[in-house]
């Protein structure tokens, strides 16, 4: 594979951060207790997110997906997919959120992305049970591990937050917005600032011309 794009989901494909909103809505007490611990890095995402998700009754899973359904996608995403398809470059979605949430938001676009790697949950017990194929280090989805499954000479990362930092540092071209841009500034790592996917398409069209 020559080139590949790794794209975060929450706050990147979606305009708003959806996953934290879900945790707060469906497990308010535990989220109030554990989210600040995770932000302060006294608790890993891997432990904290798992604990919060597994406190949510399975019977509420459909509500979670319904809550997700109305989340808008950032402008230009379909145009970027069109362009990448034309170029023969796959886009892989890598998310620390729920697989079902990603699929719900993407809807018919699911078949247009190469793969989705996110946290799966089992819903046949009394409470959600977390299943993650790429659990590692401090993360439920170790994005760098996902990346290493796809050898390519040019790896492009698109993201918005701290959870994308390691992925960005492994990429040859980085598109960063919001807090990810700040972290990269601190690391003095060059990146391209972006706000919508059309800018990414235009940049890549120019780069690959
Ligand atoms: Mg994000």
């Amino acid at each position: 594979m020559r080139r590949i794009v790794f794209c975060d989901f929450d706050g990147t494909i979606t305009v708003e951060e959806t996953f934290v909103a879900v945790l707060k809505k469906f497990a308010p007490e535990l989220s109030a207790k554990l989210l600040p611990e995770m932000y302060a890095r006294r608790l890993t995402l891997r432990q904290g997110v798992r604990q919060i998700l597994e406190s949510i009754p399975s019977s509420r899973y459909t509500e979670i997906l319904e809550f997700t359904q109305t989340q808008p996608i950032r402008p230009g995403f379909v145009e970027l997919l069109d362009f990448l398809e034309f170029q023969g470059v796959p886009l892989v979605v890598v998310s620390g959120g729920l697989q079902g949430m990603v699929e719900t938001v993407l809807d018919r676009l699911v078949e247009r992305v190469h793969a989705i790697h996110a946290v799966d949950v089992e819903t046949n017990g009394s409470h959600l049970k977390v299943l993650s194929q790429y659990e590692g280090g401090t993360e439920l989805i170790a994005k760098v591990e996902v990346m290493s499954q796809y050898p390519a000479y040019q790896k492009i990362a698109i993201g918005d937050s701290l959870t994308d930092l390691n992925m960005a540092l492994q990429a040859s071209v980085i598109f960063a917005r919001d807090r990810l841009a700040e972290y990269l500034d601190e690391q003095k790592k060059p990146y391209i600032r972006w706000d919508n996917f059309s800018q990414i398409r235009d940049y890549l069209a120019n780069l690959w011309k």
Side-chain angles (χ1 to χ4, degrees):
M1 206 180 283
R2 295 166 62 222
R3 297 164 169 145
I4 186 164
V5 176
F6 298 96
C7 187
D8 170 51
F9 175 72
D10 211 21
T12 296
I13 293 178
T14 59
V15 176
E16 304 283 340
E17 292 240 347
T18 313
F19 188 50
V20 171
V22 160
L23 298 180
K24 284 182 179 165
K25 184 173 160 67
F26 291 89
E29 282 166 28
L30 200 53
S31 294
K33 201 173 111 193
L34 299 187
L35 283 171
E37 292 300 301
M38 287 188 270
Y39 290 135
R41 309 234 219 156
R42 285 189 293 264
L43 177 69
T44 64
L45 288 168
R46 185 176 176 179
Q47 293 168 308
V49 171
R50 176 186 286 276
Q51 217 179 313
I52 296 174
L53 282 175
E54 295 191 343
S55 78
I56 301 173
S58 295
S59 57
R60 302 205 70 191
Y61 186 61
T62 0
E63 275 176 78
I64 293 181
L65 297 186
E66 277 164 14
F67 175 82
T68 314
Q69 211 154 30
T70 52
Q71 295 299 323
I73 289 181
R74 199 173 289 279
F77 187 62
V78 176
E79 290 76 6
L80 177 65
L81 288 178
D82 289 340
F83 168 74
L84 292 175
E85 212 163 87
F86 179 74
Q87 294 282 338
V89 176
L91 181 140
V92 171
V93 178
V94 197
S95 171
L98 296 180
Q99 182 92 14
M101 291 174 63
V102 179
E103 288 170 359
T104 299
V105 170
L106 289 183
D107 194 25
R108 276 171 304 173
L109 296 175
V110 167
E111 56 204 59
R112 300 199 54 198
V113 302
H114 184 74
I116 299 168
H117 298 285
V119 177
D120 229 329
V121 283
E122 236 173 48
T123 56
N124 39 19
S126 66
H127 290 75
L128 299 181
K129 171 127 183 55
V130 170
L131 305 166
S132 176
Q133 212 190 327
Y134 290 100
E135 197 164 337
T138 62
E139 301 169 293
L140 261 187
I141 294 284
K143 294 188 175 184
V144 173
E145 263 182 61
V146 174
M147 280 176 94
S148 66
Q149 305 299 308
Y150 297 92
Y153 90 86
Q154 191 175 58
K155 295 190 176 186
I156 294 138
I158 308 174
D160 75 308
S161 71
L162 178 63
T163 52
D164 305 313
L165 180 60
N166 291 336
M167 173 168 91
L169 294 174
Q170 297 293 313
S172 29
V173 181
I174 310 166
F175 293 94
R177 52 180 301 281
D178 210 310
R179 279 156 300 152
L180 178 60
E182 292 166 26
Y183 289 115
L184 290 168
D185 282 334
E186 281 169 25
Q187 307 252 342
K188 305 221 182 321
K189 175 91 177 167
Y191 62 92
I192 302 117
R193 201 174 271 277
W194 72 289
D195 282 304
N196 62 66
F197 287 105
S198 306
Q199 296 165 331
I200 296 181
R201 180 203 52 192
D202 292 347
Y203 187 95
L204 292 176
N206 197 45
L207 182 71
W208 295 342
K209 142 172 105 185

